[in-house]
Amino acid sequence: MKNQSVTNNLDWICIIIYSLLVLLGWLNIYSSSLSSMEDTYEKQLIFIVLTIPLIFIVLSVDGKFYEKYASIIFGISLLSLAGLFVFGKTIAGQRCWYGFGSFTIQPSEFAKAATALALAKYLSDPQINLKEVNRQIQALAIVFLPVILILPQPDPGSALIYSIFIIVLYREGLPSWYVWTGFITILLFVLTLILEPQYVILIALTTLVIVHFKSRLSDRNILLSGILFALISGFVLSVNYVFENIFKQHHRDRFNILLGKTVDLKGVGYNTNQSEIAIGSGGWFGKGFLEGTQTKGGFVPEQHTDYIFTTVGEEWGFTGSLVVIALFVGLFLRIIYLAERQKTKFSRVYGYCVAGILFIHFFVNIAMVVGIFPTIGVPLPFFSYGGSGLWGFTILLFIFIKMDANKVNEW
C-alpha cells in the first residue's frame, strides 16, 4: 500500500495560529522600532521571509529522520554551545552568539529543539522505565547537559527554560517527588528572602508535624521526617549566603525589587516600572496602532525584544492583549491535543516538549513584563525581535507538525 501524502495532512490550525502570531509580532516590532530610528522591523521582515524556505525544508524531510538522527542532532547542538567559549561573540557581557560579519546566530535557541528530540528518542525506547534510578539520572543528564553549557555564557534565561522538561518527564513516569522537591525548594528560597530564616524553619517544622499526624506515619518515617527537617533547615540557613555571595549584584537587585525590598525606579527597576506604566496606560481597548505614547517616546528599553508585550498592552489594550494570550493558549492546547493522538511515543513526547517550551517562554515573558517575575531575558515566541529565536521556535514547532502529518503512515 502506497503511503499517503503528508502534505495533505498538515495541521492547518497550528499553522494559521503560528502565522497570526508572527504577523502580529512583526506589527508590534514595527511600532516599537519607529521611534528609535532603527531598522529592526526591516531586519525582522527579512527573518520572516527566510523562515518560509526553512519551513519547507523541515516539512520536506522524512518524519523518521528526526527520530533516527535525534542523538546526532543533539550532539551537534552541544558542540555548538561548547564552541561559544572559544569562537563566540560577546554582546552586552554575554558570550551567546556566533558572529558572521554583521550577522549573529544564537545556538541556544536551536538547542531546545535538539534537546526535545534527544529526550523523546531516549524515552521512546521500550526498555526505559523512569521508576529506575539509573534511568532517571540518564534522562536528567540529557536535560542538564545543555544547561551546564548555557549558564556560564551567562544566559540564565535560556537555562531556566529547560526546567519545563521535568514536567514532561513527570508525564512519562518520573516520580512526583522530583516536581515537589523543585517546587518546595523555590518556595523556601523565596520565603527566606522575605522572612527571617528562623521563621521559615518554624513554618517548615509546623508543616512537617501537621503532615506527620495527618498521614499517620510510622515510627520509621519519624526518623525520615527528622532527616527531611534537617535538610530543609540546612538549605534555609544557606540561602542568604548563596544570595549574597554566588548571585551577581544585578540578580540580587532584581529579586529585591520584585519582592519589594528595594525601590529603584530609575536604575535596575526602570524597565519593569516603565513596562507596567505602558501596559496600564492602554486601558480596555488601547491607544491605537502606532499611537502609544510610551512606545513612541522610547521609554521602555528593549521594547522590540524581551518587552515587546508592552506595545501590545499600550496600543491594543486589555482586549488586544487577551486576543494575543488566547492565540498562544489555543496553540498550546492544540499541540497537546495532537500529541495525545500520536501513534508513537517518540512523537507524543516531542509534542509535549514543544508545548512545554513554548508555554514557559510565554509565561515567564508575560510575568516578567507585568512585574511578577525578575527580568532575566526570555523572549516571547514569534513576537520578540531576533532571527535565531524566530527560526528556533519555527523549527521546534514544524518538526512536530511534520510528525503529526506523518502519523497517517504509522502503524
Side-chain angles (χ1 to χ4, degrees):
M1 181 177 176
K2 190 176 181 180
N3 286 352
Q4 299 182 46
S5 173
V6 297
T7 307
N8 298 327
N9 292 282
L10 296 176
D11 187 74
W12 287 101
I13 294 178
C14 279
I15 294 174
I16 290 171
I17 295 176
Y18 162 83
S19 302
L20 287 173
L21 289 173
V22 171
L23 173 61
L24 295 176
W26 183 81
L27 290 174
N28 282 277
I29 291 173
Y30 176 78
S31 179
S32 63
S33 302
L34 286 181
S35 61
S36 63
M37 302 299 292
E38 296 181 359
D39 58 351
T40 51
Y41 66 92
E42 295 178 350
K43 290 181 179 178
Q44 188 70 6
L45 185 58
I46 294 174
F47 296 148
I48 292 172
V49 171
L50 291 176
T51 301
I52 297 173
L54 180 64
I55 291 172
F56 278 102
I57 291 172
V58 171
L59 294 179
S60 65
V61 175
D62 183 77
K64 286 295 182 182
F65 172 88
Y66 300 109
E67 181 175 4
K68 184 178 181 180
Y69 296 102
S71 299
I72 295 176
I73 294 171
F74 183 59
I76 294 172
S77 176
L78 293 178
L79 288 175
S80 70
L81 291 173
L84 288 170
F85 297 105
V86 180
F87 305 107
K89 181 177 182 180
T90 302
I91 301 176
Q94 292 182 308
R95 201 175 183 87
C96 303
W97 296 267
Y98 287 109
F100 304 94
S102 60
F103 177 76
T104 59
I105 191 164
Q106 188 174 0
S108 62
E109 295 294 345
F110 304 95
K112 298 162 192 172
T115 305
L117 287 171
L119 195 61
K121 174 72 171 179
Y122 179 77
L123 295 177
S124 63
D125 187 332
Q127 299 181 345
I128 300 301
N129 181 3
L130 287 180
K131 301 299 181 184
E132 300 174 5
V133 176
N134 62 323
R135 299 301 189 185
Q136 296 169 13
I137 294 173
Q138 292 167 0
L140 291 172
I142 293 173
V143 174
F144 287 110
L145 275 174
V147 173
I148 292 170
L149 295 172
I150 290 171
L151 272 176
Q153 295 178 3
D155 189 4
S158 293
L160 173 67
I161 299 304
Y162 287 79
S163 63
I164 198 64
F165 287 116
I166 302 299
I167 304 300
V168 177
L169 289 172
Y170 171 69
R171 165 67 176 76
E172 296 301 323
L174 188 73
S176 60
W177 69 264
Y178 279 94
V179 178
W180 281 109
T181 299
F183 174 76
I184 292 171
T185 300
I186 295 171
L187 180 62
L188 288 172
F189 184 86
V190 174
L191 279 177
T192 307
L193 294 180
I194 298 173
L195 305 173
E196 293 294 327
Q198 59 267 28
Y199 295 128
V200 179
I201 292 175
L202 181 60
I203 292 172
L205 177 60
T206 304
T207 303
L208 285 173
V209 170
I210 293 173
V211 170
H212 173 78
F213 285 105
K214 286 283 187 181
S215 304
R216 298 180 181 178
L217 299 177
S218 65
D219 292 339
R220 180 184 175 186
N221 282 333
I222 292 177
L223 177 61
L224 184 62
S225 296
I227 295 173
L228 182 59
F229 175 68
L231 291 173
I232 290 174
S233 299
F235 174 77
V236 169
L237 292 173
S238 68
V239 166
N240 285 329
Y241 176 83
V242 171
F243 188 70
E244 295 296 336
N245 296 279
I246 297 180
F247 277 46
K248 293 187 177 181
Q249 184 60 48
H250 65 277
H251 292 145
R252 294 197 294 271
D253 291 338
R254 289 169 181 173
F255 269 100
N256 287 331
I257 289 170
L258 178 67
L259 298 174
K261 299 174 70 173
T262 302
V263 177
D264 185 11
L265 301 183
K266 294 183 179 180
V268 177
Y270 179 80
N271 288 25
T272 301
N273 181 57
Q274 291 299 321
S275 69
E276 291 174 356
I277 292 173
I279 291 175
S281 67
W284 284 98
F285 300 104
K287 298 175 180 176
F289 183 56
L290 304 180
E291 298 299 325
T293 53
Q294 295 292 118
T295 297
K296 290 175 69 175
F299 291 103
V300 183
E302 305 300 329
Q303 192 166 8
H304 58 290
T305 54
D306 299 337
Y307 283 85
I308 189 65
F309 194 74
T310 59
T311 307
V312 179
E314 182 179 25
E315 297 190 347
W316 300 3
F318 177 80
T319 304
S321 299
L322 198 61
V323 169
V324 171
I325 291 173
L327 285 173
F328 273 108
V329 172
L331 181 61
F332 305 149
L333 294 177
R334 183 63 182 176
I335 293 171
I336 293 173
Y337 169 74
L338 294 177
E340 286 295 336
R341 294 176 58 205
Q342 298 306 301
K343 296 180 180 179
T344 67
K345 189 174 182 179
F346 176 80
S347 298
R348 186 186 75 228
V349 173
Y350 182 78
Y352 270 97
C353 288
V354 174
I357 292 170
L358 293 177
F359 171 76
I360 194 170
H361 266 277
F362 163 81
F363 176 79
V364 172
N365 181 273
I366 301 297
M368 179 183 71
V369 168
V370 299
I372 60 175
F373 202 87
T375 300
I376 55 173
V378 172
L380 185 61
F382 315 122
F383 260 69
S384 295
Y385 168 79
S388 296
L390 176 62
W391 296 336
F393 289 126
T394 298
I395 291 172
L396 177 76
L397 176 61
F398 276 86
I399 286 177
F400 178 64
I401 290 176
K402 173 66 176 186
M403 290 179 184
D404 178 67
N406 193 59
K407 72 178 182 293
V408 298
N409 297 322
E410 301 284 358
W411 292 89

